[in-house]
Amino acid sequence: MHRTPAALRRALSFFAVLALAVTAGACSSSGDDAGGGEGDGDSRQVTLMLNWTPNAQHAGIYAAQELGYYDDAGIDLEIVEPASTGVEPVVASGEAEFGIAQAESLLPARAAGVPVVSIATLLPHNDSSLMSLAEAGIERPRDLEDHTYGGYGGALETELVNRLVECDGGDPSKVEFVEVGNVDYLTGMQRDRFDFAWVFNGWDALRADTVDGVEVTTLPFIEYEDCIPDWYTPLLLTSEDTIAEDPELVRDFLAATARGYDLAITDPQQAADLLLEAAPELDRDLVEASGIYHAERFAEEGEPWGIEEARVWADFGGFLVDVGLLDEAVDTDAAFTNEFLPAEPAPAAS
Protein backbone atom coordinates (compact mmCIF):
# COMPACT_ATOMS: atom_id res chain seq x y z
CA MET A 1 0.00 0.00 0.00
CA HIS A 2 1.28 3.44 -0.88
CA ARG A 3 1.71 5.63 2.17
CA THR A 4 0.29 9.09 1.71
CA PRO A 5 2.06 12.32 2.66
CA ALA A 6 -0.72 13.20 5.10
CA ALA A 7 0.19 10.22 7.22
CA LEU A 8 3.54 11.67 8.26
CA ARG A 9 2.06 14.81 9.72
CA ARG A 10 -0.40 12.89 11.79
CA ALA A 11 2.15 10.25 12.81
CA LEU A 12 4.37 12.81 14.54
CA SER A 13 2.78 14.07 17.73
CA PHE A 14 4.37 17.25 18.99
CA PHE A 15 5.74 15.56 22.05
CA ALA A 16 7.48 12.88 20.00
CA VAL A 17 9.04 15.57 17.81
CA LEU A 18 10.26 17.46 20.86
CA ALA A 19 11.98 14.38 22.22
CA LEU A 20 13.68 13.70 18.90
CA ALA A 21 14.64 17.33 18.54
CA VAL A 22 16.35 17.46 21.92
CA THR A 23 18.46 14.46 20.95
CA ALA A 24 19.33 16.00 17.58
CA GLY A 25 20.19 19.34 19.12
CA ALA A 26 22.70 17.68 21.40
CA CYS A 27 24.57 16.04 18.54
CA SER A 28 24.23 18.58 15.71
CA SER A 29 27.41 19.91 14.21
CA SER A 30 28.43 22.39 11.60
CA GLY A 31 28.56 21.02 8.08
CA ASP A 32 32.06 21.35 6.74
CA ASP A 33 31.09 19.44 3.59
CA ALA A 34 28.01 21.45 2.69
CA GLY A 35 29.51 22.41 -0.66
CA GLY A 36 31.65 25.30 -1.68
CA GLY A 37 30.31 26.86 -4.84
CA GLU A 38 30.44 25.73 -8.40
CA GLY A 39 34.13 26.42 -8.75
CA ASP A 40 35.61 25.04 -11.96
CA GLY A 41 32.40 23.33 -12.93
CA ASP A 42 32.66 20.94 -10.00
CA SER A 43 29.29 19.66 -8.81
CA ARG A 44 28.39 20.06 -5.17
CA GLN A 45 27.09 16.84 -3.62
CA VAL A 46 23.77 17.68 -1.98
CA THR A 47 21.15 15.55 -0.25
CA LEU A 48 17.45 16.38 -0.01
CA MET A 49 15.36 14.32 2.42
CA LEU A 50 11.67 14.00 1.57
CA ASN A 51 8.87 14.14 4.10
CA TRP A 52 7.32 10.94 2.73
CA THR A 53 7.30 8.83 -0.40
CA PRO A 54 7.29 10.74 -3.73
CA ASN A 55 3.98 12.36 -4.65
CA ALA A 56 2.64 15.22 -6.76
CA GLN A 57 3.55 17.86 -4.17
CA HIS A 58 7.17 17.00 -5.00
CA ALA A 59 6.61 17.37 -8.75
CA GLY A 60 8.71 20.51 -9.11
CA ILE A 61 11.69 18.89 -7.43
CA TYR A 62 11.63 15.84 -9.66
CA ALA A 63 11.09 18.01 -12.73
CA ALA A 64 14.15 20.06 -11.82
CA GLN A 65 16.19 16.91 -11.32
CA GLU A 66 15.04 15.14 -14.49
CA LEU A 67 15.50 18.24 -16.67
CA GLY A 68 18.99 18.99 -15.33
CA TYR A 69 18.16 22.24 -13.52
CA TYR A 70 20.19 21.20 -10.48
CA ASP A 71 23.06 20.18 -12.74
CA ASP A 72 22.88 23.65 -14.33
CA ALA A 73 23.27 25.12 -10.85
CA GLY A 74 26.31 22.97 -10.12
CA ILE A 75 24.39 20.66 -7.78
CA ASP A 76 24.50 16.87 -7.84
CA LEU A 77 21.28 16.18 -5.96
CA GLU A 78 20.43 12.94 -4.20
CA ILE A 79 16.80 12.60 -3.08
CA VAL A 80 16.19 10.27 -0.16
CA GLU A 81 13.13 9.23 1.80
CA PRO A 82 12.86 10.26 5.46
CA ALA A 83 14.68 8.74 8.40
CA SER A 84 12.66 7.18 11.21
CA THR A 85 13.70 10.05 13.48
CA GLY A 86 12.19 12.65 11.17
CA VAL A 87 13.70 15.21 8.81
CA GLU A 88 14.65 18.06 11.14
CA PRO A 89 17.30 16.17 13.17
CA VAL A 90 18.96 14.89 10.01
CA VAL A 91 19.19 18.33 8.42
CA ALA A 92 20.32 19.94 11.68
CA SER A 93 23.14 17.42 12.02
CA GLY A 94 24.35 18.08 8.46
CA GLU A 95 23.60 14.57 7.18
CA ALA A 96 21.30 16.20 4.60
CA GLU A 97 21.64 19.78 3.40
CA PHE A 98 17.92 20.20 2.74
CA GLY A 99 14.68 18.54 3.75
CA ILE A 100 10.93 18.68 3.40
CA ALA A 101 8.88 18.95 6.58
CA GLN A 102 5.97 20.98 7.94
CA ALA A 103 5.42 23.86 10.34
CA GLU A 104 3.88 21.62 13.01
CA SER A 105 7.17 19.75 13.38
CA LEU A 106 9.60 22.60 12.62
CA LEU A 107 8.38 24.92 15.39
CA PRO A 108 8.61 22.32 18.18
CA ALA A 109 12.04 21.35 16.87
CA ARG A 110 13.21 24.96 17.08
CA ALA A 111 11.68 25.26 20.54
CA ALA A 112 13.92 22.35 21.55
CA GLY A 113 16.99 24.07 20.15
CA VAL A 114 17.26 22.33 16.78
CA PRO A 115 18.62 24.99 14.36
CA VAL A 116 16.54 24.44 11.21
CA VAL A 117 14.91 27.14 9.09
CA SER A 118 12.15 27.04 6.48
CA ILE A 119 13.41 28.48 3.18
CA ALA A 120 10.34 27.96 0.97
CA THR A 121 6.83 26.57 1.11
CA LEU A 122 5.75 24.08 -1.53
CA LEU A 123 2.16 25.33 -1.20
CA PRO A 124 1.07 28.80 -0.03
CA HIS A 125 -1.90 27.31 1.87
CA ASN A 126 -2.53 24.15 3.84
CA ASP A 127 -4.27 21.64 1.56
CA SER A 128 -5.52 19.46 4.44
CA SER A 129 -9.12 18.34 4.80
CA LEU A 130 -11.26 16.10 6.93
CA MET A 131 -12.60 13.49 4.50
CA SER A 132 -15.65 11.26 4.92
CA LEU A 133 -17.86 9.14 2.72
CA ALA A 134 -20.70 11.25 1.31
CA GLU A 135 -23.19 8.81 2.79
CA ALA A 136 -22.03 9.75 6.30
CA GLY A 137 -23.82 13.08 5.92
CA ILE A 138 -20.92 15.20 7.20
CA GLU A 139 -21.36 18.53 5.46
CA ARG A 140 -20.01 20.93 8.10
CA PRO A 141 -17.86 20.62 11.23
CA ARG A 142 -20.71 20.26 13.73
CA ASP A 143 -21.87 17.22 11.76
CA LEU A 144 -18.80 15.43 13.12
CA GLU A 145 -20.73 14.88 16.35
CA ASP A 146 -21.55 11.19 16.91
CA HIS A 147 -18.92 10.16 14.36
CA THR A 148 -15.50 8.54 14.76
CA TYR A 149 -12.18 10.05 13.69
CA GLY A 150 -9.43 7.64 12.59
CA GLY A 151 -5.86 8.83 12.91
CA TYR A 152 -2.60 8.56 14.83
CA GLY A 153 -3.80 9.85 18.19
CA GLY A 154 -1.71 13.01 18.02
CA ALA A 155 -2.51 16.04 20.17
CA LEU A 156 -2.73 18.31 17.13
CA GLU A 157 -5.30 16.06 15.47
CA THR A 158 -7.55 16.08 18.51
CA GLU A 159 -7.25 19.82 19.05
CA LEU A 160 -8.02 20.71 15.44
CA VAL A 161 -11.10 18.48 15.27
CA ASN A 162 -12.37 19.75 18.62
CA ARG A 163 -11.87 23.37 17.62
CA LEU A 164 -13.65 22.92 14.30
CA VAL A 165 -16.65 21.25 15.93
CA GLU A 166 -16.90 23.77 18.77
CA CYS A 167 -16.45 26.73 16.44
CA ASP A 168 -19.42 25.52 14.39
CA GLY A 169 -21.65 25.24 17.46
CA GLY A 170 -21.15 21.52 18.05
CA ASP A 171 -20.10 19.49 21.08
CA PRO A 172 -16.55 18.09 20.69
CA SER A 173 -17.18 15.55 23.45
CA LYS A 174 -19.51 13.74 21.07
CA VAL A 175 -16.65 12.94 18.65
CA GLU A 176 -14.89 9.61 19.17
CA PHE A 177 -11.18 9.24 18.38
CA VAL A 178 -9.52 5.93 17.47
CA GLU A 179 -5.90 5.23 16.60
CA VAL A 180 -5.63 3.41 13.27
CA GLY A 181 -2.06 4.21 12.21
CA ASN A 182 -0.97 4.06 8.60
CA VAL A 183 -3.97 2.55 6.82
CA ASP A 184 -5.86 3.13 3.62
CA TYR A 185 -8.33 5.70 4.92
CA LEU A 186 -10.90 5.13 2.21
CA THR A 187 -10.97 1.39 2.89
CA GLY A 188 -11.18 2.03 6.63
CA MET A 189 -14.25 4.20 6.16
CA GLN A 190 -15.86 1.75 3.77
CA ARG A 191 -15.40 -1.00 6.39
CA ASP A 192 -16.93 1.19 9.13
CA ARG A 193 -13.76 1.30 11.20
CA PHE A 194 -14.09 5.08 11.42
CA ASP A 195 -16.08 7.84 9.73
CA PHE A 196 -13.58 10.55 8.82
CA ALA A 197 -9.83 11.17 8.57
CA TRP A 198 -7.30 13.96 8.02
CA VAL A 199 -6.02 13.89 4.43
CA PHE A 200 -4.57 16.09 1.71
CA ASN A 201 -7.25 17.20 -0.75
CA GLY A 202 -4.91 16.98 -3.72
CA TRP A 203 -3.86 13.40 -3.07
CA ASP A 204 -6.04 11.23 -0.79
CA ALA A 205 -9.37 12.94 -1.46
CA LEU A 206 -8.58 13.27 -5.15
CA ARG A 207 -7.73 9.58 -5.36
CA ALA A 208 -11.01 8.61 -3.71
CA ASP A 209 -13.24 10.85 -5.78
CA THR A 210 -11.52 11.13 -9.16
CA VAL A 211 -9.55 7.90 -9.47
CA ASP A 212 -11.52 5.38 -7.40
CA GLY A 213 -14.91 6.89 -8.19
CA VAL A 214 -16.10 6.95 -4.56
CA GLU A 215 -18.23 9.91 -3.55
CA VAL A 216 -16.63 11.67 -0.60
CA THR A 217 -17.16 14.90 1.30
CA THR A 218 -14.31 17.11 2.48
CA LEU A 219 -14.04 19.88 5.04
CA PRO A 220 -11.00 21.86 3.82
CA PHE A 221 -9.08 23.46 6.67
CA ILE A 222 -8.54 26.63 4.63
CA GLU A 223 -12.30 27.28 4.62
CA TYR A 224 -12.35 27.55 8.42
CA GLU A 225 -9.65 30.13 9.14
CA ASP A 226 -12.00 31.78 11.63
CA CYS A 227 -11.63 28.63 13.73
CA ILE A 228 -8.14 27.28 13.03
CA PRO A 229 -5.05 28.92 11.52
CA ASP A 230 -3.52 28.31 8.13
CA TRP A 231 0.04 26.95 8.16
CA TYR A 232 2.78 25.82 5.82
CA THR A 233 2.83 22.13 4.98
CA PRO A 234 4.94 20.93 3.31
CA LEU A 235 7.94 23.24 3.30
CA LEU A 236 11.63 23.15 2.41
CA LEU A 237 14.13 23.60 5.21
CA THR A 238 17.83 23.79 5.79
CA SER A 239 20.07 24.33 8.79
CA GLU A 240 21.28 27.61 10.23
CA ASP A 241 24.82 26.32 9.65
CA THR A 242 24.23 25.85 5.92
CA ILE A 243 22.76 29.34 5.64
CA ALA A 244 25.72 30.86 7.47
CA GLU A 245 28.45 28.85 5.78
CA ASP A 246 27.16 28.42 2.22
CA PRO A 247 24.37 30.88 1.40
CA GLU A 248 25.09 30.53 -2.32
CA LEU A 249 24.26 26.84 -2.14
CA VAL A 250 20.88 27.69 -0.63
CA ARG A 251 20.28 30.31 -3.29
CA ASP A 252 21.31 28.01 -6.15
CA PHE A 253 19.25 25.11 -4.81
CA LEU A 254 16.13 27.26 -4.58
CA ALA A 255 16.67 28.81 -8.00
CA ALA A 256 16.75 25.36 -9.58
CA THR A 257 13.81 24.16 -7.49
CA ALA A 258 11.74 27.22 -8.41
CA ARG A 259 12.39 26.48 -12.09
CA GLY A 260 10.98 23.01 -11.50
CA TYR A 261 7.85 24.34 -9.83
CA ASP A 262 7.40 26.93 -12.58
CA LEU A 263 7.26 23.99 -14.98
CA ALA A 264 4.81 22.13 -12.73
CA ILE A 265 2.59 25.23 -12.81
CA THR A 266 2.68 25.81 -16.57
CA ASP A 267 2.87 22.21 -17.80
CA PRO A 268 1.47 19.81 -15.20
CA GLN A 269 1.35 16.94 -17.69
CA GLN A 270 5.09 17.14 -18.36
CA ALA A 271 5.77 17.46 -14.64
CA ALA A 272 3.61 14.38 -14.01
CA ASP A 273 5.50 12.43 -16.68
CA LEU A 274 8.83 13.40 -15.14
CA LEU A 275 7.67 12.40 -11.64
CA LEU A 276 6.52 9.04 -13.00
CA GLU A 277 9.90 8.53 -14.69
CA ALA A 278 11.55 8.93 -11.30
CA ALA A 279 8.88 7.02 -9.35
CA PRO A 280 7.21 4.60 -11.78
CA GLU A 281 5.47 2.77 -8.92
CA LEU A 282 3.00 5.66 -8.53
CA ASP A 283 -0.49 5.48 -10.02
CA ARG A 284 -0.45 7.40 -13.32
CA ASP A 285 -4.09 8.49 -13.15
CA LEU A 286 -3.62 9.88 -9.64
CA VAL A 287 -0.33 11.64 -10.47
CA GLU A 288 -1.80 13.28 -13.56
CA ALA A 289 -4.98 14.40 -11.78
CA SER A 290 -2.99 15.63 -8.81
CA GLY A 291 -0.60 17.52 -11.10
CA ILE A 292 -3.50 19.43 -12.64
CA TYR A 293 -4.96 20.08 -9.19
CA HIS A 294 -1.70 21.46 -7.80
CA ALA A 295 -0.72 23.52 -10.86
CA GLU A 296 -2.96 26.39 -9.82
CA ARG A 297 -2.14 25.97 -6.13
CA PHE A 298 1.66 25.88 -6.04
CA ALA A 299 1.81 29.69 -5.95
CA GLU A 300 -0.50 32.63 -5.38
CA GLU A 301 -1.35 34.52 -8.54
CA GLY A 302 1.25 37.21 -9.17
CA GLU A 303 3.52 35.96 -6.35
CA PRO A 304 6.79 34.04 -6.63
CA TRP A 305 6.69 30.36 -5.80
CA GLY A 306 7.79 29.54 -2.25
CA ILE A 307 7.01 32.84 -0.50
CA GLU A 308 6.08 32.62 3.19
CA GLU A 309 4.32 35.25 5.29
CA ALA A 310 5.29 36.29 8.81
CA ARG A 311 1.61 36.56 9.76
CA VAL A 312 0.94 32.91 8.92
CA TRP A 313 3.88 31.76 11.02
CA ALA A 314 2.95 34.03 13.94
CA ASP A 315 -0.69 32.94 13.95
CA PHE A 316 0.19 29.27 13.86
CA GLY A 317 2.88 29.63 16.53
CA GLY A 318 0.40 31.42 18.76
CA PHE A 319 -2.15 28.68 18.17
CA LEU A 320 0.31 26.01 19.32
CA VAL A 321 0.93 27.91 22.53
CA ASP A 322 -2.78 28.57 23.12
CA VAL A 323 -3.66 24.88 22.92
CA GLY A 324 -0.68 23.75 24.98
CA LEU A 325 1.29 22.10 22.18
CA LEU A 326 4.20 24.45 22.84
CA ASP A 327 5.13 25.46 26.38
CA GLU A 328 6.08 28.98 25.39
CA ALA A 329 6.17 31.23 22.34
CA VAL A 330 8.76 30.58 19.66
CA ASP A 331 10.37 33.36 17.62
CA THR A 332 8.49 32.57 14.42
CA ASP A 333 10.29 35.32 12.48
CA ALA A 334 13.49 33.33 12.93
CA ALA A 335 11.82 30.10 11.78
CA PHE A 336 11.66 31.09 8.11
CA THR A 337 13.28 33.27 5.48
CA ASN A 338 12.40 34.40 1.95
CA GLU A 339 15.91 35.74 1.40
CA PHE A 340 17.09 33.04 -0.98
CA LEU A 341 14.04 32.74 -3.23
CA PRO A 342 14.02 34.08 -6.81
CA ALA A 343 12.14 37.36 -6.95
CA GLU A 344 10.13 36.76 -10.11
CA PRO A 345 6.43 35.97 -9.84
CA ALA A 346 5.43 32.39 -10.65
CA PRO A 347 3.90 31.91 -14.11
CA ALA A 348 0.17 31.45 -14.43
CA ALA A 349 -1.12 27.88 -14.45
CA SER A 350 -2.03 26.54 -17.85
Side-chain angles (χ1 to χ4, degrees), residues 242-285:
T242 297
I243 288 175
E245 297 171 9
D246 200 349
E248 284 308 307
L249 174 63
V250 181
R251 198 177 309 278
D252 291 344
F253 172 78
L254 285 181
T257 304
R259 286 180 67 191
Y261 277 97
D262 287 350
L263 177 88
I265 291 168
T266 58
D267 194 344
Q269 182 60 57
Q270 184 183 6
D273 290 340
L274 293 168
L275 174 58
L276 287 161
E277 285 182 22
E281 71 278 6
L282 297 179
D283 181 277
R284 173 169 288 276
D285 289 341

Side-chain angles (χ1 to χ4, degrees), residues 33-167:
D33 56 354
E38 297 179 49
D40 301 317
D42 294 337
S43 291
R44 293 162 287 180
Q45 305 297 313
V46 173
T47 298
L48 168 68
M49 178 167 281
L50 300 179
N51 55 331
W52 208 247
T53 52
N55 61 80
Q57 292 184 347
H58 306 141
I61 294 165
Y62 282 98
Q65 186 182 50
E66 295 295 315
L67 293 175
Y69 296 164
Y70 293 115
D71 292 337
D72 293 345
I75 293 171
D76 183 2
L77 183 68
E78 179 185 14
I79 301 174
V80 299
E81 294 189 14
S84 60
T85 55
V87 175
E88 287 90 349
V90 176
V91 173
S93 69
E95 294 177 53
E97 286 77 15
F98 302 99
I100 301 177
Q102 46 284 319
E104 68 263 37
S105 60
L106 185 144
L107 288 180
R110 286 190 61 84
V114 180
V116 288
V117 178
S118 175
I119 53 174
T121 180
L122 301 193
L123 294 166
H125 297 289
N126 190 341
D127 192 48
S128 297
S129 274
L130 297 179
M131 181 180 77
S132 61
L133 297 178
E135 63 194 46
I138 298 172
E139 298 181 355
R140 55 188 299 166
R142 69 184 180 209
D143 293 337
L144 298 172
E145 287 184 355
D146 303 317
H147 289 91
T148 300
Y149 171 82
Y152 277 85
L156 179 61
E157 298 172 276
T158 303
E159 191 60 44
L160 287 168
V161 171
N162 287 346
R163 284 221 171 186
L164 286 169
V165 173
E166 185 174 23
C167 188

Side-chain angles (χ1 to χ4, degrees), residues 23-34 89-96 115 239-242 245:
T23 302
C27 66
S28 63
S29 60
S30 61
D32 294 333
D33 56 354
V90 176
V91 173
S93 69
E95 294 177 53
S239 68
E240 291 181 358
D241 282 344
T242 297
E245 297 171 9

